[in-house]
Amino acid sequence: MKTVYITRRETFNAAHKLWNDNWSQEKNEEVFGRCSNANWHGHNFTLFVTVKGTPHPDTGFVINLKDLSVIIQKEVTEKLDHKNLNLDVPFLKGVLASTENVITAIWDRLIEPVRSHGGELVKLKLVETENNYVEYFGENEPF
Amino acid sequence: MKTVYITRRETFNAAHKLWNDNWSQEKNEEVFGRCSNANWHGHNFTLFVTVKGTPHPDTGFVINLKDLSVIIQKEVTEKLDHKNLNLDVPFLKGVLASTENVITAIWDRLIEPVRSHGGELVKLKLVETENNYVEYFGENEPF
Amino acid sequence: MKTVYITRRETFNAAHKLWNDNWSQEKNEEVFGRCSNANWHGHNFTLFVTVKGTPHPDTGFVINLKDLSVIIQKEVTEKLDHKNLNLDVPFLKGVLASTENVITAIWDRLIEPVRSHGGELVKLKLVETENNYVEYFGENEPF
Amino acid sequence: MKTVYITRRETFNAAHKLWNDNWSQEKNEEVFGRCSNANWHGHNFTLFVTVKGTPHPDTGFVINLKDLSVIIQKEVTEKLDHKNLNLDVPFLKGVLASTENVITAIWDRLIEPVRSHGGELVKLKLVETENNYVEYFGENEPF
Amino acid sequence: MKTVYITRRETFNAAHKLWNDNWSQEKNEEVFGRCSNANWHGHNFTLFVTVKGTPHPDTGFVINLKDLSVIIQKEVTEKLDHKNLNLDVPFLKGVLASTENVITAIWDRLIEPVRSHGGELVKLKLVETENNYVEYFGENEPF
Amino acid sequence: MKTVYITRRETFNAAHKLWNDNWSQEKNEEVFGRCSNANWHGHNFTLFVTVKGTPHPDTGFVINLKDLSVIIQKEVTEKLDHKNLNLDVPFLKGVLASTENVITAIWDRLIEPVRSHGGELVKLKLVETENNYVEYFGENEPF
């Protein structure tokens, strides 16, 4: 039985700022620089979702990409696209909206729905700009 | 004398929303859809600035790209990067922040400074997402 | 009144072959090389549709991109995506399926629907691979 | 001795369809959607081949990329480029032509030739569209 | 008769420096900055060659891309790839190796061979980095 | 405590050649082909630096990307950008300038400065052209 990893890309465009409520404006500016701008800024975010599994003999699929796409849209991108990550997203309430914190919150949204479709979520990659991205593997070994 | 066109790319990440103050929320949502989200959304914008000229015999340059980059940063990207296009930018005050309106406002910021460095601004391209962009040529023929 | 050019990207994945029915197999292979493979080959095609206009004072829009996207999908990509360009597409019947011929056929599908939405179609770009693309401007000057 | 991973990119453009001969047309359409189109569709496939090794003191090379490129072209891309994956490829006969099944078949073509050139094949990545790709690591740990 | 524009991409990797022999080292550094480094630097250059024409009824081709590719390789990229633009290229002898000057020199190499294959060279684009490129149209109107 | 991997991209444009001083010119040409050109060639190199860590509760950061960027620029790209990798770089003296050898030398420059900022360097990726890149993981497991 061969194990293959399949990845689906989805995108969302959102506003956010980096801001710690326990800090003064000066401290926020010192640490977060331009990212702390009071009136927000934004990005075209790109999310890569990787699922591990064995191709099914009937379909050749680890998971049907149409299903995976629907899961990601329903659980994640519909809720983040054209939103403010600090204000508009229930599952990010109280979270400092760094890409690191956003990716772990997205993981928690996806792991069960992917499992219930017979797949195993093993990797997320969230690209914020052409110059930076984060990856998260849950409790799996990174790869 | 050969005429060459040289283009410099610069980027800025900003928040905005599409909103007409003279309309109800329903009308705004009907026309602008998700782009009217009250709490903003955002993009990684990419700006391409094209200057026309004759390569100088001493330098081989239409315009020194370091100078062009400084002009664009000083006049445009410093003022738009990590900002809210609707709230934070003096030269966009009162402007409905569509890419069409942003690009023509950027043109007005660049045409004189480019000219004073011996170049002729002939084209701007502003990319909002991988799926859409606008171009503006001022009073020149498009190319 | 400022004239701005706005471009929307859409994609379709299709099979085709280059084949002239009036020629022998040898002649087809000589001229078209691997592109004449009897059992087809295929590409991820990317289509860029450019519309010219004046931003409307109420919206800042040359044309609403949602409308433009719907037009392109309805008239073009729905009919080409996951299809065989030689066999499955009524508006390409009898057309030798080169990118040059496909792009002019797409133009004829789009010009009226774009006009009826208040826009003026001025440019198409059809990318077949990272190494080649075609552009078409109808009866307009190229730009 | 330092272990470095080197990757070579090659491309091929091919037609295929997703189809299970044991199923009715209705069932095929239900599961595979547009990908089951009887007359095929196609893609620009991109293949990344990763080889692990220790840079040789005389060359600084894990493997000579010219050799690696020749292996990939001879064993894989020459046989897949401008072909129909379901009909034209001996090593894919009887294989449901999903990317998952294609990538494991490519692995079997490459592992020995890479080894005979002193390299160890450790990863393949096959990109079908900008929105999906698969990875395969044989019996190695994923990375 | 419909006029279509077709573009072929080719690449070359080369070393160069920006240097005016009539200037002191200080003046060269002042004007050209890091680009004047005595021991050279280099780039992955990407060249886009656009040919205008009417699709031929027998082939659907403005020009056979295989022929165009051979012309570009023979006349340009074979002579520039893995070379030093200041030292190794006969047709750039005595030319200050700015992208502006390189693109006009490439034009002179291509215009006749393209014409002799029935095409009309109308545009070159030479990309030096992701942040800058030049375009040249010879004596044609830019587009 | 969740472990997240964050990556920063930086670029440098440099000249180099592949050359073994102990070999004849013929042997160098045989092994390294065009890459052995006596007068150098060059590339736009892209470097991806990946740091592993736990997002800090106060910042949501594994490492402040501004700090990481400064480290990479100071230790690596300032010393390689617009340079000759064979001649101009103290930390590459005596090193055969293959990407494999360059990436391991870069690792040695970055591991301590990243650690002193509280991060753990776990992966480098160095892209030489669109067709090849190398990865290095030091003594860590690859991922």
Side-chain angles (χ1 to χ4, degrees):
Chain A
M1 296 294 280
K2 297 176 171 177
T3 302
V4 178
Y5 297 73
I6 190 157
T7 298
R8 173 76 190 177
R9 186 186 81 124
E10 298 284 343
T11 64
F12 59 95
N13 307 326
H16 78 150
K17 69 177 165 188
L18 299 183
W19 189 266
N20 183 329
D21 286 332
N22 300 321
W23 288 350
S24 66
Q25 182 165 333
E26 289 69 27
K27 176 74 173 173
N28 272 290
E29 283 178 8
E30 181 197 327
V31 173
F32 295 121
R34 302 176 75 93
C35 299
S36 67
N37 181 49
N39 288 326
W40 324 97
H41 66 283
H43 298 287
N44 302 332
F45 290 93
T46 309
L47 177 68
F48 295 85
V49 177
T50 302
V51 173
K52 170 188 178 179
T54 303
H56 193 284
D58 286 349
T59 61
F61 284 170
V62 164
I63 189 170
N64 194 319
L65 281 175
K66 286 182 296 179
D67 295 338
L68 181 55
S69 179
V70 168
I71 293 171
I72 304 169
Q73 289 179 45
K74 185 178 157 216
E75 298 293 332
V76 180
T77 55
E78 244 180 44
K79 293 181 164 54
L80 301 183
D81 187 40
H82 286 76
K83 298 293 183 190
N84 184 310
L85 302 185
N86 302 62
L87 301 178
D88 294 335
V89 186
F91 71 86
L92 293 176
K93 271 284 149 59
V95 174
L96 202 161
S98 68
T99 51
E100 289 94 327
N101 286 340
V102 172
I103 199 173
T104 59
I106 291 174
W107 180 275
D108 293 340
R109 304 277 306 167
L110 289 175
I111 189 161
E112 282 310 327
V114 169
R115 186 171 293 155
S116 75
H117 278 76
E120 181 184 351
L121 179 66
V122 287
K123 179 175 178 175
L124 293 180
K125 179 178 178 179
L126 180 60
V127 182
E128 189 182 58
T129 74
E130 64 187 9
N131 293 320
N132 70 294
Y133 65 83
V134 289
E135 295 167 297
Y136 186 58
F137 306 90
E139 306 190 359
N140 303 286
E141 286 300 304
F143 79 95
Chain B
M1 297 294 280
K2 295 174 172 178
T3 302
V4 179
Y5 297 73
I6 190 157
T7 298
R8 172 79 190 175
R9 185 186 82 123
E10 300 284 343
T11 63
F12 59 96
N13 307 324
H16 77 150
K17 69 177 166 187
L18 300 183
W19 189 266
N20 183 329
D21 286 332
N22 300 321
W23 289 350
S24 67
Q25 181 166 333
E26 289 69 27
K27 177 72 173 173
N28 272 290
E29 283 177 8
E30 181 197 326
V31 174
F32 296 122
R34 303 176 74 92
C35 299
S36 68
N37 180 51
N39 288 327
W40 325 96
H41 66 282
H43 298 288
N44 302 333
F45 289 93
T46 308
L47 177 67
F48 294 85
V49 176
T50 302
V51 173
K52 169 188 179 179
T54 304
H56 194 285
D58 286 347
T59 60
F61 284 171
V62 165
I63 189 171
N64 193 318
L65 281 175
K66 287 182 294 179
D67 295 338
L68 181 55
S69 179
V70 168
I71 292 170
I72 303 169
Q73 289 180 44
K74 186 177 156 213
E75 297 295 331
V76 180
T77 54
E78 245 181 43
K79 292 182 165 54
L80 301 183
D81 187 41
H82 285 76
K83 299 292 183 192
N84 185 308
L85 302 183
N86 302 62
L87 301 179
D88 293 335
V89 186
F91 70 84
L92 293 177
K93 272 282 148 61
V95 174
L96 201 160
S98 68
T99 50
E100 289 94 327
N101 286 341
V102 172
I103 199 172
T104 60
I106 292 174
W107 179 275
D108 294 340
R109 303 277 307 168
L110 288 175
I111 190 162
E112 283 309 325
V114 168
R115 186 172 292 154
S116 74
H117 278 76
E120 182 183 349
L121 179 66
V122 288
K123 179 175 178 174
L124 292 180
K125 179 178 178 179
L126 181 60
V127 182
E128 190 182 56
T129 75
E130 64 186 10
N131 294 320
N132 70 295
Y133 64 83
V134 289
E135 294 167 298
Y136 185 59
F137 307 90
E139 306 192 358
N140 303 288
E141 286 301 302
F143 79 96
Chain C
M1 297 295 279
K2 295 175 173 179
T3 302
V4 178
Y5 296 73
I6 190 158
T7 298
R8 172 77 189 174
R9 186 185 81 125
E10 299 285 344
T11 64
F12 59 95
N13 308 325
H16 78 149
K17 68 177 167 188
L18 300 183
W19 189 267
N20 183 328
D21 286 332
N22 300 321
W23 289 350
S24 66
Q25 181 165 334
E26 289 69 27
K27 177 74 173 173
N28 272 290
E29 285 178 6
E30 181 197 326
V31 173
F32 296 122
R34 302 176 75 92
C35 299
S36 67
N37 180 51
N39 288 327
W40 325 97
H41 65 283
H43 297 288
N44 302 331
F45 290 93
T46 309
L47 177 67
F48 294 85
V49 177
T50 302
V51 174
K52 170 188 179 180
T54 304
H56 194 284
D58 287 347
T59 60
F61 284 170
V62 165
I63 189 170
N64 193 319
L65 281 176
K66 287 183 295 181
D67 295 338
L68 182 55
S69 179
V70 168
I71 292 170
I72 303 169
Q73 288 179 45
K74 185 177 156 215
E75 297 293 332
V76 180
T77 54
E78 244 180 45
K79 293 183 164 53
L80 302 183
D81 187 40
H82 286 75
K83 298 292 184 193
N84 184 309
L85 302 184
N86 302 63
L87 301 179
D88 294 335
V89 186
F91 71 85
L92 292 176
K93 270 284 149 57
V95 173
L96 202 160
S98 68
T99 51
E100 289 94 326
N101 286 340
V102 173
I103 199 172
T104 59
I106 292 174
W107 180 275
D108 293 340
R109 303 278 306 169
L110 289 175
I111 190 161
E112 283 311 324
V114 169
R115 186 173 291 153
S116 74
H117 278 75
E120 181 184 351
L121 179 67
V122 288
K123 179 175 179 173
L124 292 180
K125 179 178 178 179
L126 179 60
V127 182
E128 191 182 55
T129 74
E130 64 187 10
N131 294 321
N132 70 295
Y133 63 84
V134 289
E135 295 167 297
Y136 185 59
F137 307 90
E139 306 191 358
N140 304 287
E141 286 301 303
F143 79 94
Chain D
M1 298 293 281
K2 296 174 171 177
T3 301
V4 178
Y5 297 73
I6 191 157
T7 298
R8 172 76 190 176
R9 185 185 81 124
E10 300 284 343
T11 63
F12 59 95
N13 307 325
H16 78 150
K17 69 176 165 187
L18 299 182
W19 189 267
N20 182 329
D21 286 333
N22 300 319
W23 289 350
S24 66
Q25 181 166 334
E26 289 68 27
K27 177 72 172 175
N28 273 291
E29 284 177 7
E30 181 197 327
V31 173
F32 296 122
R34 303 176 74 93
C35 298
S36 67
N37 180 51
N39 287 327
W40 326 96
H41 66 283
H43 299 288
N44 302 333
F45 290 93
T46 308
L47 177 66
F48 294 85
V49 177
T50 303
V51 174
K52 169 189 179 179
T54 305
H56 194 283
D58 286 349
T59 60
F61 283 172
V62 165
I63 189 171
N64 194 319
L65 281 175
K66 287 182 295 179
D67 295 337
L68 181 56
S69 178
V70 168
I71 292 170
I72 303 169
Q73 289 179 46
K74 186 179 156 214
E75 298 292 332
V76 180
T77 54
E78 244 179 44
K79 292 181 165 53
L80 302 183
D81 187 41
H82 286 76
K83 298 294 183 191
N84 184 309
L85 302 183
N86 302 61
L87 300 179
D88 294 333
V89 186
F91 71 85
L92 292 176
K93 270 284 146 62
V95 174
L96 202 160
S98 68
T99 51
E100 289 95 326
N101 286 341
V102 173
I103 199 173
T104 60
I106 291 174
W107 180 275
D108 293 340
R109 303 278 306 169
L110 289 175
I111 189 161
E112 283 309 326
V114 169
R115 185 172 293 154
S116 75
H117 279 75
E120 181 184 349
L121 179 66
V122 288
K123 179 175 180 173
L124 292 180
K125 179 178 179 178
L126 180 60
V127 182
E128 191 182 58
T129 75
E130 63 186 12
N131 294 321
N132 70 295
Y133 63 85
V134 289
E135 294 166 297
Y136 185 58
F137 306 90
E139 306 192 359
N140 303 287
E141 287 300 303
F143 78 96
Chain E
M1 298 293 280
K2 295 174 173 180
T3 301
V4 178
Y5 297 72
I6 190 158
T7 298
R8 171 78 190 175
R9 184 186 82 125
E10 299 286 343
T11 64
F12 58 96
N13 307 325
H16 78 148
K17 68 177 167 187
L18 300 183
W19 189 266
N20 182 329
D21 286 332
N22 301 320
W23 289 350
S24 67
Q25 182 167 331
E26 289 69 30
K27 177 72 173 175
N28 272 290
E29 284 178 8
E30 181 197 326
V31 173
F32 296 121
R34 302 176 74 94
C35 299
S36 67
N37 181 50
N39 288 326
W40 325 97
H41 66 283
H43 298 288
N44 302 331
F45 290 92
T46 308
L47 177 67
F48 295 86
V49 176
T50 302
V51 173
K52 170 188 178 178
T54 305
H56 193 284
D58 287 347
T59 60
F61 284 170
V62 165
I63 189 171
N64 194 319
L65 281 175
K66 287 182 296 180
D67 296 337
L68 181 55
S69 179
V70 168
I71 292 170
I72 304 169
Q73 289 179 45
K74 185 178 156 213
E75 298 294 331
V76 180
T77 55
E78 244 180 44
K79 292 181 166 53
L80 301 183
D81 186 40
H82 285 75
K83 298 293 184 190
N84 184 308
L85 302 183
N86 301 63
L87 300 179
D88 294 334
V89 187
F91 71 85
L92 293 176
K93 271 283 149 59
V95 174
L96 202 161
S98 69
T99 51
E100 288 94 326
N101 286 341
V102 173
I103 199 173
T104 59
I106 291 174
W107 179 275
D108 293 340
R109 303 278 306 170
L110 289 175
I111 189 161
E112 282 310 324
V114 168
R115 186 172 293 153
S116 75
H117 279 75
E120 181 184 350
L121 179 66
V122 288
K123 179 176 179 174
L124 293 180
K125 179 179 179 179
L126 180 61
V127 182
E128 190 183 55
T129 74
E130 64 187 11
N131 293 320
N132 70 294
Y133 65 83
V134 290
E135 295 168 298
Y136 186 59
F137 306 90
E139 306 192 357
N140 303 288
E141 286 301 302
F143 79 96
Chain F
M1 298 293 280
K2 295 175 172 178
T3 302
V4 178
Y5 296 73
I6 190 157
T7 298
R8 171 78 188 175
R9 185 186 82 124
E10 299 284 343
T11 63
F12 58 95
N13 307 325
H16 78 147
K17 68 176 166 189
L18 299 183
W19 188 267
N20 183 329
D21 286 332
N22 301 320
W23 288 350
S24 67
Q25 181 164 334
E26 290 68 28
K27 176 73 173 172
N28 272 289
E29 284 178 7
E30 182 198 326
V31 173
F32 296 122
R34 303 176 74 93
C35 298
S36 67
N37 181 50
N39 287 327
W40 325 95
H41 66 283
H43 297 289
N44 303 331
F45 290 93
T46 309
L47 177 67
F48 294 86
V49 177
T50 302
V51 173
K52 169 188 179 180
T54 304
H56 193 284
D58 286 348
T59 60
F61 284 169
V62 165
I63 189 171
N64 194 318
L65 281 176
K66 286 182 296 179
D67 295 338
L68 182 56
S69 179
V70 168
I71 292 170
I72 304 169
Q73 289 180 44
K74 184 177 156 217
E75 297 294 331
V76 180
T77 54
E78 245 179 43
K79 292 180 166 52
L80 301 183
D81 187 40
H82 286 76
K83 298 294 183 192
N84 184 309
L85 302 184
N86 302 62
L87 300 179
D88 293 335
V89 186
F91 70 86
L92 292 176
K93 269 286 148 59
V95 174
L96 203 161
S98 68
T99 51
E100 290 94 327
N101 286 340
V102 173
I103 199 173
T104 59
I106 292 174
W107 180 275
D108 293 340
R109 304 278 307 170
L110 289 175
I111 190 163
E112 282 310 323
V114 169
R115 185 173 293 154
S116 75
H117 279 75
E120 181 184 350
L121 179 66
V122 288
K123 180 176 179 173
L124 293 179
K125 179 179 178 178
L126 180 60
V127 182
E128 190 182 58
T129 75
E130 65 186 8
N131 293 321
N132 69 296
Y133 64 83
V134 290
E135 295 167 296
Y136 185 59
F137 306 90
E139 305 191 359
N140 304 286
E141 286 301 303
F143 78 94

